[in-house]
Amino acid sequence: MEEGIREVIQALGPAVLIIWIRTILSAVLWPQKYFNSILLMVRLMVTVIFASGFFGDNGGYFLLGCFLLVSLALFMVPILLIINGIQMIRRESLCLSNVLSLLLGIVVGIGEIATVVYVLGLADFMDIGELNYLVLLLAFTVFYFSALVLSFVIYSIFITIMPHRRNFNYIIIHGCGLKGDGTPTKLLSDRVDKAIEIYEKCKEKPYVIPSGGQGADEVISEAQSMKNYLMQHGIPEERILPEDKSTTTRENLINSKKIIDDYGGKKKTALVSSNYHIYRCLRIAKETGLHCTGIGAHTAFYYWPSALIREFMAVFLTKRFIVWALIGYLFFVGPILYILINA
């Protein structure tokens, strides 16, 4: 790497530190903003470039190694997604929500094949040269939406590992389904266990709000099931404020906020759900006026990819997100579209 370039990169140290401080502050103060995920991706790339300046003449090899590792990871993504989709079908059931990772793996795989076809010039070899730009458009399209999903995944992990305050006045637990006998599923018990962990660390014991109504196939409400579990694990009944009317995440938060408002006083609130669910919860909490700290509970690894894709789709299908995503897409693929239209 040229000496001058290396000096410029190393001189960027204070700027890199500042943007990371800004990233963390933004995630703490406005964790529900999706734009944070895009900024996080950009800042990771800037950090890699900055780090290359410390490798002297081998800086170029460092960047090349990082590029090759990322490329290898990207080509592994569709394979891992397809394997995960098969696992979900075997361990859970055959339904749309459980095949999302399988479907996404197939789509991403097609896009990566299209990329290879274009980069290696195989379109002419395969006698489809006239489709070269269409192949490139497909590759760019898959790359763009894959980048949106990847940034969402990385940011979802980032906000769940962020440090948070240790003392709360309220802990909201999101319900998510029960076993046939009315006891919590593993997914739900993990959430309640995380809430108990937080409760025990608080100096002044908070109120716990288990939130969830009774589904058509449930013998009791999710709130009552969680209350029973909490009491079995030593949480006093007088510190439990069940919310048993909600049927959606939004209702969970609206009804829980009403309980908190009715009690008045200090309102430092922890919002506990599965780690893949925290980002969307924080978005809805912001919309409902509930100020809280999101804390994610453990999720089985095989379940996590499909669940996170489902969360991304729930966010993606909001009107505002679709508009901005399409604007970004047109900006990203604009040159390719121009060539296709004028070909």
Side-chain angles (χ1 to χ4, degrees):
M1 182 179 289
E2 294 291 338
E3 184 67 26
I5 297 176
R6 185 167 66 250
E7 289 178 356
V8 170
I9 291 175
Q10 292 178 350
L12 292 175
V16 173
L17 178 61
I18 290 172
I19 65 173
W20 271 107
I21 292 174
R22 174 67 175 81
T23 299
I24 294 171
L25 285 175
S26 183
V28 170
L29 298 175
W30 306 286
Q32 75 285 348
K33 289 184 176 295
Y34 183 83
F35 193 62
N36 285 341
S37 66
I38 305 297
L39 293 179
L40 180 61
M41 286 281 287
V42 173
R43 284 157 185 173
L44 285 172
M45 290 187 286
V46 170
T47 302
V48 169
I49 295 173
F50 169 70
S52 69
F54 294 92
F55 286 82
D57 294 334
N58 295 317
Y61 292 110
F62 172 77
L63 290 175
L64 177 61
C66 290
F67 174 78
L68 292 176
L69 284 175
V70 171
S71 298
L72 177 61
L74 288 175
F75 279 105
M76 288 298 296
V77 165
I79 297 173
L80 295 175
L81 285 172
I82 290 171
I83 292 173
N84 176 254
I86 295 171
Q87 284 183 320
M88 284 294 294
I89 294 171
R90 287 179 175 177
R91 295 192 182 193
E92 300 293 329
S93 61
L94 179 59
C95 62
L96 179 59
S97 62
N98 289 338
V99 299
L100 285 175
S101 57
L102 175 63
L103 295 176
L104 183 61
I106 294 172
V107 171
V108 172
I110 292 172
E112 290 185 353
I113 291 172
T115 303
V116 171
V117 167
Y118 182 82
V119 171
L120 298 182
L122 297 179
D124 292 326
F125 177 77
M126 298 168 64
D127 198 27
I128 55 171
E130 66 277 5
L131 298 178
N132 223 340
Y133 287 118
L134 286 175
V135 171
L136 183 60
L137 177 62
L138 174 61
F140 269 51
T141 299
V142 172
F143 176 83
Y144 175 77
F145 287 102
S146 295
L148 290 182
V149 175
L150 180 61
S151 64
F152 177 84
V153 169
I154 293 175
Y155 185 65
S156 294
I157 296 172
F158 183 70
I159 61 174
T160 58
I161 63 176
M162 286 284 293
H164 54 77
R165 70 168 72 246
R166 299 294 292 272
N167 292 299
F168 296 96
N169 306 114
Y170 299 91
I171 303 172
I172 300 171
I173 314 172
H174 283 270
C176 63
L178 306 176
K179 296 179 182 177
D181 61 359
T183 58
T185 59
K186 181 65 170 65
L187 195 64
L188 183 55
S189 64
D190 283 340
R191 297 182 183 185
V192 185
D193 286 338
K194 174 60 72 171
I196 293 172
E197 177 187 325
I198 298 167
Y199 177 91
E200 292 175 345
K201 289 180 179 179
C202 293
K203 294 179 180 178
E204 183 179 340
K205 298 308 178 187
Y207 288 103
V208 182
I209 306 176
S211 178
Q214 182 175 351
D217 58 345
E218 295 172 338
V219 295
I220 59 174
S221 69
E222 294 167 8
Q224 183 61 50
S225 178
M226 286 187 279
K227 178 180 178 180
N228 296 342
Y229 188 95
L230 288 164
M231 293 174 63
Q232 290 168 7
H233 288 75
I235 308 299
E237 185 174 9
E238 62 269 18
R239 306 307 295 180
I240 304 173
L241 307 174
E243 184 289 297
D244 59 2
K245 304 299 181 185
S246 57
T247 59
T248 65
T249 297
R250 185 175 295 276
E251 290 178 1
N252 284 146
L253 293 167
I254 291 173
N255 296 345
S256 297
K257 181 179 182 298
K258 186 176 186 304
I259 291 174
I260 293 171
D261 290 341
D262 289 343
Y263 268 70
K266 297 179 180 179
K267 299 178 180 179
K268 296 175 182 177
T269 304
L271 189 157
V272 178
S273 189
S274 300
N275 47 24
Y276 65 82
H277 192 222
I278 289 298
Y279 174 73
R280 186 158 64 95
C281 287
L282 290 173
R283 284 177 64 94
I284 298 173
K286 175 68 174 178
E287 294 170 3
T288 60
L290 177 63
H291 301 286
C292 55
T293 298
I295 302 176
H298 169 76
T299 305
F301 183 75
Y302 81 89
Y303 189 86
W304 186 78
S306 288
L308 205 53
I309 293 168
R310 190 165 62 245
E311 291 298 304
F312 173 80
M313 292 303 299
V315 173
F316 181 83
L317 292 176
T318 58
K319 182 178 179 180
R320 184 176 180 181
F321 189 95
I322 290 176
V323 170
W324 280 109
L326 289 177
I327 291 173
Y329 175 73
L330 290 174
F331 177 81
F332 185 71
V333 303
I336 306 300
L337 291 174
Y338 179 81
I339 293 174
L340 281 173
I341 291 172
N342 292 277

